[in-house]
Amino acid sequence: MTDLAIVGAGAAGTALFIHLVSGAEIRIRRVTFIEPGPLAHGLAFDRTEPYLLCNTSLAVNSLFPDRPRHFEAWLRANGPACARWRIRPRTLTGDTFVPRGLFRHYLAEQLSTALRVATAQGIEVDHVRGRASEIISCGPGLVVRTNCGTTVKAEYVVLSTGLTAPGTAASALAASAGLLRPVASLREDDDFLPERPVVAIVGARQSALDAALVVAHARPEAHLVLMSRSARFPSVRTEMTEHPGQYFTTTALAAGLDLPPADVVDHWRRLLRAEAVANGHDPAVWERPRSGLPGLAEDLARTRAGERAFERMDRNAITVANEVWPFLHERQRAAVRSAFGGLLRRHVSAIPAVSAERLLRLHQQRRLRMTRGPRCWRVAGRRLEFTDFRGRVFTADRAVDATGFSIANSPRLPRWLGRQLSGAHRFVEPGTCHIPVGRGGGIFLLGPPLGDARAVTNYFNATARQAMSVTSFLAGEHPDSPVKAGKARTSRPEAK
Protein backbone atom coordinates (compact mmCIF):
# COMPACT_ATOMS: atom_id res chain seq x y z
CA MET A 1 0.00 0.00 0.00
CA THR A 2 1.22 3.48 -0.87
CA ASP A 3 0.90 6.23 1.71
CA LEU A 4 -0.34 8.79 -0.81
CA ALA A 5 -1.81 8.53 -4.31
CA ILE A 6 -1.84 11.79 -6.29
CA VAL A 7 -4.44 11.53 -9.06
CA GLY A 8 -3.39 14.02 -11.70
CA ALA A 9 0.11 15.47 -12.00
CA GLY A 10 -0.45 18.82 -13.63
CA ALA A 11 0.31 22.04 -11.79
CA ALA A 12 -1.76 21.18 -8.70
CA GLY A 13 -0.53 17.62 -8.13
CA THR A 14 3.05 18.64 -8.84
CA ALA A 15 2.83 21.55 -6.40
CA LEU A 16 1.59 19.24 -3.66
CA PHE A 17 4.49 16.83 -4.10
CA ILE A 18 7.03 19.67 -4.06
CA HIS A 19 5.56 21.01 -0.82
CA LEU A 20 5.52 17.53 0.72
CA VAL A 21 9.23 16.92 0.26
CA SER A 22 10.42 20.51 0.85
CA GLY A 23 8.38 21.20 3.98
CA ALA A 24 8.32 19.70 7.44
CA GLU A 25 9.24 16.10 8.17
CA ILE A 26 6.29 13.86 7.27
CA ARG A 27 5.52 10.20 7.72
CA ILE A 28 4.80 9.70 3.99
CA ARG A 29 7.33 7.17 2.70
CA ARG A 30 5.77 6.24 -0.63
CA VAL A 31 3.98 8.45 -3.17
CA THR A 32 2.26 7.22 -6.34
CA PHE A 33 1.35 9.55 -9.18
CA ILE A 34 -1.55 8.42 -11.38
CA GLU A 35 -1.19 10.43 -14.55
CA PRO A 36 -1.36 9.29 -18.21
CA GLY A 37 1.21 11.82 -19.41
CA PRO A 38 4.50 13.20 -18.12
CA LEU A 39 4.61 14.88 -14.74
CA ALA A 40 4.39 18.66 -14.36
CA HIS A 41 2.56 19.24 -17.64
CA GLY A 42 -1.23 19.45 -17.49
CA LEU A 43 -3.60 21.53 -19.57
CA ALA A 44 -3.09 25.00 -18.11
CA PHE A 45 0.63 25.54 -18.75
CA ASP A 46 1.59 22.98 -21.43
CA ARG A 47 2.07 25.52 -24.21
CA THR A 48 5.09 26.32 -26.36
CA GLU A 49 3.98 29.68 -27.77
CA PRO A 50 5.77 32.64 -26.10
CA TYR A 51 2.81 34.99 -26.68
CA LEU A 52 0.33 32.85 -24.68
CA LEU A 53 0.69 34.41 -21.25
CA CYS A 54 -0.36 33.40 -17.75
CA ASN A 55 -3.46 35.36 -16.77
CA THR A 56 -1.91 36.17 -13.40
CA SER A 57 1.24 38.23 -12.89
CA LEU A 58 4.48 37.36 -11.14
CA ALA A 59 3.29 38.88 -7.87
CA VAL A 60 0.96 35.91 -7.27
CA ASN A 61 2.49 33.15 -9.41
CA SER A 62 4.96 31.71 -6.92
CA LEU A 63 4.94 28.00 -6.18
CA PHE A 64 5.49 28.97 -2.54
CA PRO A 65 2.88 31.49 -1.28
CA ASP A 66 4.99 32.20 1.78
CA ARG A 67 7.78 33.23 -0.63
CA PRO A 68 5.86 35.34 -3.15
CA ARG A 69 8.96 36.40 -5.09
CA HIS A 70 10.30 32.86 -5.52
CA PHE A 71 9.29 32.60 -9.20
CA GLU A 72 10.65 36.06 -9.97
CA ALA A 73 13.97 35.19 -8.28
CA TRP A 74 14.14 31.94 -10.28
CA LEU A 75 13.63 33.88 -13.51
CA ARG A 76 16.38 36.36 -12.67
CA ALA A 77 18.76 33.46 -12.00
CA ASN A 78 17.86 31.63 -15.24
CA GLY A 79 18.85 33.89 -18.08
CA PRO A 80 18.97 31.15 -20.76
CA ALA A 81 15.42 30.03 -19.95
CA CYS A 82 14.20 33.63 -20.11
CA ALA A 83 15.97 34.19 -23.43
CA ARG A 84 14.28 31.16 -24.95
CA TRP A 85 10.91 32.65 -24.01
CA ARG A 86 11.87 36.22 -25.05
CA ILE A 87 11.86 37.56 -21.50
CA ARG A 88 14.43 40.08 -20.24
CA PRO A 89 15.13 39.38 -16.54
CA ARG A 90 16.11 43.00 -15.85
CA THR A 91 12.66 44.25 -16.88
CA LEU A 92 10.71 41.91 -14.60
CA THR A 93 8.40 43.33 -11.95
CA GLY A 94 5.57 41.89 -9.89
CA ASP A 95 3.17 43.08 -12.62
CA THR A 96 4.90 41.14 -15.43
CA PHE A 97 2.91 38.44 -17.24
CA VAL A 98 5.16 35.65 -18.50
CA PRO A 99 4.49 32.82 -21.00
CA ARG A 100 2.67 29.80 -19.62
CA GLY A 101 5.31 27.48 -20.99
CA LEU A 102 7.94 29.34 -18.97
CA PHE A 103 5.94 28.74 -15.81
CA ARG A 104 5.82 25.02 -16.70
CA HIS A 105 9.62 25.09 -17.08
CA TYR A 106 9.85 26.57 -13.57
CA LEU A 107 7.45 23.96 -12.21
CA ALA A 108 9.33 21.10 -13.89
CA GLU A 109 12.68 22.25 -12.51
CA GLN A 110 11.26 22.49 -8.99
CA LEU A 111 9.85 18.97 -9.41
CA SER A 112 13.25 17.63 -10.49
CA THR A 113 14.77 19.10 -7.35
CA ALA A 114 11.97 17.63 -5.22
CA LEU A 115 12.48 14.17 -6.73
CA ARG A 116 16.17 14.28 -5.81
CA VAL A 117 15.29 15.37 -2.27
CA ALA A 118 12.73 12.56 -2.02
CA THR A 119 15.37 10.00 -3.03
CA ALA A 120 17.77 11.36 -0.42
CA GLN A 121 15.04 11.14 2.24
CA GLY A 122 14.17 7.55 1.30
CA ILE A 123 10.74 8.43 -0.12
CA GLU A 124 9.75 6.04 -2.90
CA VAL A 125 8.00 7.64 -5.89
CA ASP A 126 6.02 5.68 -8.49
CA HIS A 127 4.29 6.85 -11.66
CA VAL A 128 1.32 4.87 -12.98
CA ARG A 129 0.67 5.97 -16.56
CA GLY A 130 -3.10 5.82 -16.71
CA ARG A 131 -6.28 7.64 -15.72
CA ALA A 132 -8.03 6.97 -12.44
CA SER A 133 -11.46 5.57 -13.30
CA GLU A 134 -12.85 4.78 -9.85
CA ILE A 135 -12.05 5.21 -6.17
CA ILE A 136 -13.51 2.81 -3.61
CA SER A 137 -13.15 2.34 0.12
CA CYS A 138 -11.43 -0.91 1.03
CA GLY A 139 -10.56 -1.89 4.62
CA PRO A 140 -8.31 0.66 6.27
CA GLY A 141 -7.78 2.76 3.15
CA LEU A 142 -8.76 3.35 -0.46
CA VAL A 143 -8.31 1.64 -3.81
CA VAL A 144 -7.84 3.62 -7.02
CA ARG A 145 -8.67 1.72 -10.20
CA THR A 146 -7.22 2.93 -13.49
CA ASN A 147 -8.19 2.55 -17.14
CA CYS A 148 -4.98 0.60 -17.79
CA GLY A 149 -5.97 -2.16 -15.36
CA THR A 150 -3.66 -1.12 -12.54
CA THR A 151 -5.04 -0.75 -9.00
CA VAL A 152 -3.36 1.39 -6.37
CA LYS A 153 -4.04 0.94 -2.65
CA ALA A 154 -3.51 4.09 -0.63
CA GLU A 155 -4.14 5.53 2.79
CA TYR A 156 -4.66 9.01 1.35
CA VAL A 157 -5.77 10.05 -2.14
CA VAL A 158 -5.47 13.57 -3.52
CA LEU A 159 -7.76 14.39 -6.44
CA SER A 160 -6.02 17.01 -8.59
CA THR A 161 -7.32 16.02 -12.01
CA GLY A 162 -8.01 19.58 -13.08
CA LEU A 163 -9.92 20.31 -16.26
CA THR A 164 -9.89 18.87 -19.75
CA ALA A 165 -11.21 19.77 -23.20
CA PRO A 166 -15.01 19.89 -23.46
CA GLY A 167 -16.64 16.49 -23.65
CA THR A 168 -19.35 17.87 -25.95
CA ALA A 169 -16.77 18.37 -28.70
CA ALA A 170 -16.59 14.66 -29.55
CA SER A 171 -19.77 14.46 -31.65
CA ALA A 172 -18.98 17.75 -33.37
CA LEU A 173 -15.49 16.54 -34.23
CA ALA A 174 -16.89 13.32 -35.67
CA ALA A 175 -19.27 15.30 -37.91
CA SER A 176 -16.83 17.93 -39.12
CA ALA A 177 -14.69 15.85 -41.50
CA GLY A 178 -11.51 16.91 -39.71
CA LEU A 179 -12.23 20.62 -40.17
CA LEU A 180 -12.86 21.33 -36.47
CA ARG A 181 -10.38 20.99 -33.64
CA PRO A 182 -10.65 21.48 -29.85
CA VAL A 183 -8.65 24.43 -28.63
CA ALA A 184 -6.44 22.35 -26.33
CA SER A 185 -4.90 20.52 -29.31
CA LEU A 186 -4.41 23.61 -31.50
CA ARG A 187 -0.71 24.24 -32.08
CA GLU A 188 1.11 26.85 -34.09
CA ASP A 189 3.43 24.36 -35.80
CA ASP A 190 1.00 21.70 -37.08
CA ASP A 191 -0.62 21.43 -40.53
CA PHE A 192 -4.25 21.82 -39.44
CA LEU A 193 -4.45 25.34 -40.85
CA PRO A 194 -4.26 25.87 -44.65
CA GLU A 195 -2.70 28.95 -46.20
CA ARG A 196 -4.76 32.17 -45.94
CA PRO A 197 -7.63 30.49 -44.09
CA VAL A 198 -10.90 31.81 -42.74
CA VAL A 199 -11.12 30.36 -39.23
CA ALA A 200 -14.22 30.31 -37.03
CA ILE A 201 -13.52 30.23 -33.29
CA VAL A 202 -16.51 29.23 -31.19
CA GLY A 203 -16.25 30.86 -27.78
CA ALA A 204 -15.11 34.18 -26.35
CA ARG A 205 -13.32 33.30 -23.13
CA GLN A 206 -9.60 33.10 -22.56
CA SER A 207 -9.12 29.85 -24.49
CA ALA A 208 -10.88 31.37 -27.52
CA LEU A 209 -8.67 34.44 -27.41
CA ASP A 210 -5.62 32.20 -27.12
CA ALA A 211 -6.81 30.33 -30.22
CA ALA A 212 -7.15 33.62 -32.11
CA LEU A 213 -3.57 34.57 -31.22
CA VAL A 214 -2.23 31.15 -32.26
CA VAL A 215 -4.03 31.25 -35.64
CA ALA A 216 -2.99 34.85 -36.32
CA HIS A 217 0.64 34.07 -35.53
CA ALA A 218 0.73 30.81 -37.50
CA ARG A 219 -1.04 32.27 -40.54
CA PRO A 220 -0.38 36.02 -40.85
CA GLU A 221 -2.96 36.31 -43.66
CA ALA A 222 -5.72 34.44 -41.82
CA HIS A 223 -9.13 35.99 -41.16
CA LEU A 224 -10.87 35.10 -37.90
CA VAL A 225 -14.49 35.11 -36.81
CA LEU A 226 -15.19 34.81 -33.07
CA MET A 227 -18.64 33.52 -32.15
CA SER A 228 -20.33 33.33 -28.78
CA ARG A 229 -23.81 33.67 -27.35
CA SER A 230 -22.98 36.68 -25.18
CA ALA A 231 -20.24 38.28 -27.30
CA ARG A 232 -18.60 39.35 -24.04
CA PHE A 233 -14.89 39.09 -23.59
CA PRO A 234 -12.97 38.48 -20.37
CA SER A 235 -11.98 41.63 -18.55
CA VAL A 236 -8.54 43.14 -19.01
CA ARG A 237 -5.90 43.43 -16.30
CA THR A 238 -2.50 45.03 -16.05
CA GLU A 239 -1.64 43.32 -12.77
CA MET A 240 -3.03 41.01 -10.14
CA THR A 241 -2.54 41.68 -6.47
CA GLU A 242 -3.66 39.76 -3.42
CA HIS A 243 -5.73 42.16 -1.41
CA PRO A 244 -7.41 40.81 1.76
CA GLY A 245 -11.03 41.91 1.83
CA GLN A 246 -13.01 43.80 4.40
CA TYR A 247 -16.45 42.40 3.59
CA PHE A 248 -16.25 39.43 1.20
CA THR A 249 -14.42 37.12 3.63
CA THR A 250 -14.54 33.44 4.49
CA THR A 251 -16.12 34.27 7.84
CA ALA A 252 -18.82 36.42 6.21
CA LEU A 253 -19.66 33.77 3.61
CA ALA A 254 -19.68 30.99 6.20
CA ALA A 255 -22.32 32.94 8.12
CA GLY A 256 -24.70 32.39 5.21
CA LEU A 257 -24.24 28.64 4.71
CA ASP A 258 -27.67 27.78 6.08
CA LEU A 259 -29.59 30.36 4.06
CA PRO A 260 -32.00 29.36 1.27
CA PRO A 261 -30.41 29.50 -2.22
CA ALA A 262 -31.92 32.87 -3.20
CA ASP A 263 -30.80 34.41 0.09
CA VAL A 264 -27.27 33.02 -0.39
CA VAL A 265 -27.10 34.87 -3.71
CA ASP A 266 -28.33 38.11 -2.10
CA HIS A 267 -25.83 37.67 0.73
CA TRP A 268 -22.92 37.22 -1.71
CA ARG A 269 -24.08 40.14 -3.87
CA ARG A 270 -24.30 42.54 -0.92
CA LEU A 271 -20.80 41.59 0.22
CA LEU A 272 -19.34 41.92 -3.28
CA ARG A 273 -20.88 45.35 -3.79
CA ALA A 274 -19.62 46.51 -0.38
CA GLU A 275 -16.13 45.29 -1.27
CA ALA A 276 -16.20 47.12 -4.60
CA VAL A 277 -17.27 50.37 -2.98
CA ALA A 278 -14.64 50.01 -0.24
CA ASN A 279 -11.99 49.69 -2.97
CA GLY A 280 -13.24 52.84 -4.70
CA HIS A 281 -14.90 51.04 -7.63
CA ASP A 282 -18.31 51.46 -9.19
CA PRO A 283 -19.99 48.01 -9.08
CA ALA A 284 -21.71 48.80 -12.39
CA VAL A 285 -18.31 48.62 -14.11
CA TRP A 286 -18.15 44.89 -13.61
CA GLU A 287 -21.85 44.12 -13.31
CA ARG A 288 -22.99 45.62 -16.65
CA PRO A 289 -20.15 45.49 -19.19
CA ARG A 290 -20.43 46.35 -22.89
CA SER A 291 -20.36 43.52 -25.42
CA GLY A 292 -18.12 42.75 -28.36
CA LEU A 293 -14.87 44.30 -29.50
CA PRO A 294 -15.97 47.83 -28.51
CA GLY A 295 -16.42 46.50 -24.97
CA LEU A 296 -12.91 45.03 -25.05
CA ALA A 297 -11.48 48.37 -26.19
CA GLU A 298 -13.39 50.22 -23.47
CA ASP A 299 -12.21 47.74 -20.85
CA LEU A 300 -8.59 48.14 -21.96
CA ALA A 301 -8.82 51.94 -21.84
CA ARG A 302 -10.35 51.83 -18.35
CA THR A 303 -7.66 49.46 -17.11
CA ARG A 304 -4.85 51.54 -18.61
CA ALA A 305 -6.33 54.59 -16.86
CA GLY A 306 -6.09 52.83 -13.49
CA GLU A 307 -9.81 52.08 -13.08
CA ARG A 308 -9.24 48.42 -12.28
CA ALA A 309 -12.65 47.22 -11.29
CA PHE A 310 -11.83 43.69 -10.31
CA GLU A 311 -8.21 42.62 -10.25
CA ARG A 312 -7.60 43.97 -6.74
CA MET A 313 -10.59 41.96 -5.53
CA ASP A 314 -9.34 38.60 -6.79
CA ARG A 315 -8.16 37.53 -3.36
CA ASN A 316 -11.72 38.11 -2.17
CA ALA A 317 -14.03 37.18 -4.95
CA ILE A 318 -12.17 34.16 -6.28
CA THR A 319 -10.09 32.54 -3.59
CA VAL A 320 -12.52 33.22 -0.74
CA ALA A 321 -15.41 31.84 -2.79
CA ASN A 322 -13.32 28.69 -3.36
CA GLU A 323 -12.80 28.33 0.36
CA VAL A 324 -16.53 28.13 1.02
CA TRP A 325 -17.73 26.46 -2.19
CA PRO A 326 -17.36 22.83 -0.98
CA PHE A 327 -19.72 23.52 1.92
CA LEU A 328 -22.62 24.84 -0.14
CA HIS A 329 -25.41 22.38 -0.90
CA GLU A 330 -26.12 21.64 -4.56
CA ARG A 331 -29.13 23.95 -4.81
CA GLN A 332 -27.09 26.77 -3.30
CA ARG A 333 -24.28 26.11 -5.79
CA ALA A 334 -26.73 26.12 -8.69
CA ALA A 335 -28.12 29.49 -7.56
CA VAL A 336 -24.64 31.00 -7.22
CA ARG A 337 -23.60 29.68 -10.66
CA SER A 338 -26.70 31.17 -12.24
CA ALA A 339 -26.33 34.55 -10.55
CA PHE A 340 -22.59 35.03 -10.95
CA GLY A 341 -21.79 32.99 -14.07
CA GLY A 342 -21.31 36.03 -16.28
CA LEU A 343 -19.22 37.80 -13.66
CA LEU A 344 -16.94 34.78 -13.34
CA ARG A 345 -16.65 34.32 -17.10
CA ARG A 346 -15.43 37.88 -17.43
CA HIS A 347 -13.20 38.29 -14.42
CA VAL A 348 -11.85 34.86 -13.48
CA SER A 349 -10.51 34.48 -17.02
CA ALA A 350 -9.30 38.07 -17.23
CA ILE A 351 -6.58 38.53 -19.83
CA PRO A 352 -3.35 40.56 -19.76
CA ALA A 353 -3.61 43.99 -21.35
CA VAL A 354 -0.93 43.10 -23.93
CA SER A 355 -3.12 40.24 -25.22
CA ALA A 356 -6.11 42.57 -25.51
CA GLU A 357 -3.97 45.01 -27.49
CA ARG A 358 -2.97 42.26 -29.93
CA LEU A 359 -6.60 41.27 -30.51
CA LEU A 360 -7.72 44.85 -31.08
CA ARG A 361 -4.84 45.32 -33.54
CA LEU A 362 -6.15 42.33 -35.52
CA HIS A 363 -9.57 43.96 -35.56
CA GLN A 364 -8.10 47.25 -36.80
CA GLN A 365 -6.37 45.30 -39.58
CA ARG A 366 -9.77 43.82 -40.55
CA ARG A 367 -8.53 40.33 -39.75
CA LEU A 368 -10.82 39.75 -36.76
CA ARG A 369 -14.55 40.24 -36.27
CA MET A 370 -17.12 38.99 -33.82
CA THR A 371 -20.72 37.84 -34.02
CA ARG A 372 -23.28 36.20 -31.75
CA GLY A 373 -23.73 32.53 -32.52
CA PRO A 374 -23.64 30.02 -33.91
CA ARG A 375 -27.31 29.14 -34.28
CA CYS A 376 -26.35 26.11 -36.38
CA TRP A 377 -23.55 24.79 -38.56
CA ARG A 378 -22.94 22.11 -41.18
CA VAL A 379 -20.22 20.62 -43.37
CA ALA A 380 -20.39 22.02 -46.91
CA GLY A 381 -17.89 20.17 -49.08
CA ARG A 382 -14.44 20.88 -47.68
CA ARG A 383 -15.63 23.89 -45.68
CA LEU A 384 -17.87 24.59 -42.70
CA GLU A 385 -20.98 26.74 -42.96
CA PHE A 386 -22.16 28.70 -39.91
CA THR A 387 -25.35 30.65 -39.27
CA ASP A 388 -25.26 33.32 -36.57
CA PHE A 389 -28.16 34.46 -34.36
CA ARG A 390 -29.17 37.12 -36.90
CA GLY A 391 -29.49 34.54 -39.66
CA ARG A 392 -26.32 35.58 -41.49
CA VAL A 393 -24.39 32.72 -43.12
CA PHE A 394 -20.64 32.54 -43.60
CA THR A 395 -18.21 29.79 -44.45
CA ALA A 396 -14.88 28.90 -42.85
CA ASP A 397 -11.98 26.71 -43.89
CA ARG A 398 -11.40 25.55 -40.33
CA ALA A 399 -13.03 25.93 -36.91
CA VAL A 400 -11.81 25.77 -33.31
CA ASP A 401 -14.02 24.63 -30.42
CA ALA A 402 -13.15 26.93 -27.50
CA THR A 403 -16.44 26.70 -25.64
CA GLY A 404 -14.95 25.82 -22.28
CA PHE A 405 -13.67 22.88 -20.26
CA SER A 406 -15.19 19.93 -18.46
CA ILE A 407 -14.14 17.51 -15.71
CA ALA A 408 -14.10 14.38 -17.86
CA ASN A 409 -10.84 13.19 -16.26
CA SER A 410 -12.31 12.95 -12.76
CA PRO A 411 -12.67 9.37 -11.49
CA ARG A 412 -16.05 7.95 -10.52
CA LEU A 413 -16.66 8.21 -6.79
CA PRO A 414 -18.87 5.90 -4.74
CA ARG A 415 -22.43 7.07 -4.10
CA TRP A 416 -21.91 7.52 -0.36
CA LEU A 417 -18.93 9.74 -1.05
CA GLY A 418 -20.94 11.82 -3.49
CA ARG A 419 -23.41 12.53 -0.69
CA GLN A 420 -20.57 13.67 1.56
CA LEU A 421 -19.45 16.08 -1.13
CA SER A 422 -22.72 18.00 -0.67
CA GLY A 423 -21.83 19.89 2.48
CA ALA A 424 -20.90 17.22 5.02
CA HIS A 425 -17.12 16.87 4.92
CA ARG A 426 -14.32 18.46 6.89
CA PHE A 427 -13.01 21.98 6.53
CA VAL A 428 -9.26 21.63 7.15
CA GLU A 429 -7.90 25.01 6.12
CA PRO A 430 -9.29 27.73 3.85
CA GLY A 431 -9.71 26.16 0.43
CA THR A 432 -8.72 22.64 1.55
CA CYS A 433 -11.33 19.90 1.65
CA HIS A 434 -10.72 16.55 3.39
CA ILE A 435 -13.16 13.62 3.32
CA PRO A 436 -12.29 11.11 6.09
CA VAL A 437 -12.26 7.48 4.93
CA GLY A 438 -11.21 4.35 6.82
CA ARG A 439 -9.18 4.55 10.01
CA GLY A 440 -7.42 7.89 9.68
CA GLY A 441 -7.02 8.19 5.90
CA GLY A 442 -9.13 10.05 3.38
CA ILE A 443 -9.48 12.00 0.17
CA PHE A 444 -8.32 15.56 -0.44
CA LEU A 445 -9.67 17.78 -3.21
CA LEU A 446 -7.01 19.98 -4.78
CA GLY A 447 -7.55 22.50 -7.56
CA PRO A 448 -10.99 23.46 -8.91
CA PRO A 449 -13.30 22.89 -5.92
CA LEU A 450 -15.06 19.52 -6.02
CA GLY A 451 -13.55 19.10 -9.47
CA ASP A 452 -16.42 21.33 -10.57
CA ALA A 453 -15.63 23.15 -13.79
CA ARG A 454 -18.72 25.32 -13.33
CA ALA A 455 -17.74 26.37 -9.83
CA VAL A 456 -15.25 29.09 -8.98
CA THR A 457 -12.07 28.45 -10.91
CA ASN A 458 -8.88 28.28 -8.88
CA TYR A 459 -5.90 30.37 -9.79
CA PHE A 460 -2.61 28.58 -9.30
CA ASN A 461 -1.78 30.74 -6.27
CA ALA A 462 -4.95 29.48 -4.54
CA THR A 463 -4.00 25.89 -5.42
CA ALA A 464 -0.50 26.42 -4.01
CA ARG A 465 -2.04 27.54 -0.72
CA GLN A 466 -4.20 24.42 -0.72
CA ALA A 467 -1.07 22.31 -1.28
CA MET A 468 0.53 23.93 1.76
CA SER A 469 -2.55 23.12 3.86
CA VAL A 470 -2.61 19.47 2.76
CA THR A 471 1.09 19.18 3.55
CA SER A 472 0.49 20.64 7.00
CA PHE A 473 -2.30 18.15 7.60
CA LEU A 474 -0.24 15.15 6.48
CA ALA A 475 2.71 16.31 8.58
CA GLY A 476 0.53 16.35 11.71
CA GLU A 477 0.90 20.11 12.13
CA HIS A 478 -2.82 20.78 11.86
CA PRO A 479 -4.64 20.32 15.22
CA ASP A 480 -7.27 18.05 13.64
CA SER A 481 -4.81 15.89 11.73
CA PRO A 482 -5.20 12.15 12.48
CA VAL A 483 -1.42 11.87 12.40
CA LYS A 484 -1.46 13.44 15.89
CA ALA A 485 -5.04 13.68 17.01
CA GLY A 486 -6.62 10.42 15.90
CA LYS A 487 -9.50 10.16 13.46
CA ALA A 488 -10.56 13.49 11.98
CA ARG A 489 -14.01 14.76 12.79
CA THR A 490 -16.55 15.88 10.24
CA SER A 491 -17.67 19.49 10.37
CA ARG A 492 -18.48 22.56 8.36
CA PRO A 493 -16.62 25.88 8.71
CA GLU A 494 -17.82 27.90 11.63
CA ALA A 495 -18.86 31.49 11.31
CA LYS A 496 -17.10 33.72 13.78
Side-chain angles (χ1 to χ4, degrees):
M1 175 184 284
T2 189
D3 294 318
L4 176 66
I6 301 177
V7 180
T14 300
L16 173 65
F17 179 78
I18 292 169
H19 279 280
L20 280 172
V21 300
S22 63
E25 184 67 27
I26 60 172
R27 67 188 183 99
I28 299 290
R29 307 317 302 165
R30 183 175 182 182
V31 177
T32 301
F33 285 103
I34 302 175
E35 165 63 47
L39 306 181
H41 278 245
L43 188 67
F45 301 105
D46 194 14
R47 301 298 308 195
T48 59
E49 299 87 355
Y51 48 84
L52 295 186
L53 307 178
C54 296
N55 72 336
T56 52
S57 55
L58 283 181
V60 294
N61 251 16
S62 172
L63 181 60
F64 304 96
D66 54 345
R67 287 178 277 167
R69 303 194 67 176
H70 185 271
F71 184 27
E72 182 180 342
W74 180 87
L75 289 170
R76 294 185 184 280
N78 284 270
C82 289
R84 176 191 168 193
W85 291 94
R86 306 175 192 174
I87 295 293
R88 298 178 180 176
R90 290 184 179 180
T91 66
L92 295 174
T93 70
D95 297 339
T96 303
F97 293 84
V98 300
R100 286 181 226 161
L102 181 54
F103 184 83
R104 184 182 65 78
H105 188 166
Y106 161 69
L107 198 64
E109 185 169 300
Q110 302 306 309
L111 175 63
S112 296
T113 300
L115 289 170
R116 290 193 295 270
V117 172
T119 299
Q121 293 180 352
I123 299 174
E124 184 179 349
V125 181
D126 299 321
H127 181 189
V128 175
R129 287 186 173 267
R131 293 189 185 278
S133 56
E134 186 176 23
I135 300 174
I136 60 175
S137 177
C138 182
L142 297 150
V143 172
V144 183
R145 293 174 177 165
T146 70
N147 63 347
C148 61
T150 303
T151 59
V152 177
K153 295 182 179 180
E155 182 179 0
Y156 289 97
V157 173
V158 174
L159 292 182
S160 54
T161 49
L163 306 178
T164 188
T168 55
S171 59
L173 287 170
S176 67
L179 305 177
L180 177 102
R181 178 169 291 190
V183 65
S185 63
L186 181 66
R187 291 292 187 270
E188 177 186 308
D189 55 357
D190 63 24
D191 58 0
F192 171 68
L193 298 171
E195 294 298 321
R196 306 184 68 173
V198 175
V199 180
I201 300 174
V202 184
R205 297 178 65 181
Q206 185 178 358
S207 57
L209 305 188
D210 287 348
L213 293 175
V214 170
V215 172
H217 195 273
R219 298 290 185 266
E221 296 183 352
H223 288 266
L224 302 100
V225 182
L226 285 170
M227 292 184 291
S228 82
R229 288 178 296 178
S230 68
R232 286 180 178 170
F233 288 105
S235 61
V236 180
R237 63 162 60 106
T238 55
E239 64 176 345
M240 180 178 173
T241 58
E242 295 213 313
H243 181 70
Q246 302 175 51
Y247 300 96
F248 200 84
T249 64
T250 304
T251 299
L253 293 189
L257 286 174
D258 296 322
L259 294 173
D263 292 343
V264 168
V265 169
D266 288 342
H267 182 57
W268 284 41
R269 183 174 284 118
R270 284 194 300 271
L271 294 172
L272 272 173
R273 290 181 66 87
E275 198 70 64
V277 172
N279 281 274
H281 303 310
D282 178 4
V285 169
W286 47 264
E287 287 181 342
R288 295 185 294 276
R290 288 184 64 187
S291 300
L293 290 159
L296 183 67
E298 182 181 284
D299 212 26
L300 176 62
R302 181 183 295 116
T303 301
R304 288 295 191 198
E307 299 174 23
R308 306 178 179 94
F310 200 83
E311 58 197 14
R312 293 185 184 276
M313 292 172 59
D314 280 337
R315 174 69 181 96
N316 284 70
I318 308 306
T319 306
V320 171
N322 277 327
E323 293 170 354
V324 176
W325 186 263
F327 306 98
L328 295 175
H329 293 285
E330 184 52 42
R331 290 181 60 198
Q332 293 172 320
R333 293 188 201 125
V336 170
R337 289 190 198 106
S338 177
F340 299 103
L343 189 69
L344 291 172
R345 279 192 296 272
R346 266 185 54 75
H347 298 292
V348 173
S349 299
I351 61 173
V354 64
S355 298
E357 290 172 343
R358 289 169 179 165
L359 292 165
L360 290 170
R361 194 175 304 122
L362 291 172
H363 177 57
Q364 292 167 356
Q365 297 168 353
R366 299 181 182 277
R367 294 179 56 199
L368 172 67
R369 64 187 178 92
M370 188 169 198
T371 184
R372 294 179 187 270
R375 176 181 295 170
C376 59
W377 67 278
R378 69 184 184 92
V379 178
R382 288 299 301 164
R383 305 191 83 195
L384 294 166
E385 186 178 279
F386 292 88
T387 303
D388 69 12
F389 288 166
R390 295 176 61 181
R392 296 175 298 188
V393 178
F394 69 92
T395 57
D397 300 293
R398 296 291 186 272
V400 178
D401 181 356
T403 51
F405 297 100
S406 69
I407 52 167
N409 342 356
S410 296
R412 186 170 69 252
L413 301 176
R415 188 170 299 174
W416 61 266
L417 186 55
R419 289 194 296 269
Q420 283 201 357
L421 289 179
S422 186
H425 44 278
R426 276 188 75 264
F427 188 81
V428 178
E429 286 287 338
T432 304
C433 180
H434 172 234
I435 305 133
V437 178
R439 296 190 292 271
I443 298 175
F444 288 95
L445 305 178
L446 186 62
L450 305 186
D452 187 347
R454 296 177 181 272
V456 186
T457 306
N458 263 12
Y459 289 119
F460 176 77
N461 55 308
T463 301
R465 278 194 296 273
Q466 288 178 306
M468 290 180 66
S469 296
V470 174
T471 299
S472 173
F473 189 86
L474 293 174
E477 296 172 358
H478 191 276
D480 291 333
S481 172
V483 178
K484 284 188 176 181
K487 186 176 180 179
R489 65 179 184 272
T490 299
S491 63
R492 300 175 80 186
E494 296 179 358
K496 297 180 182 179

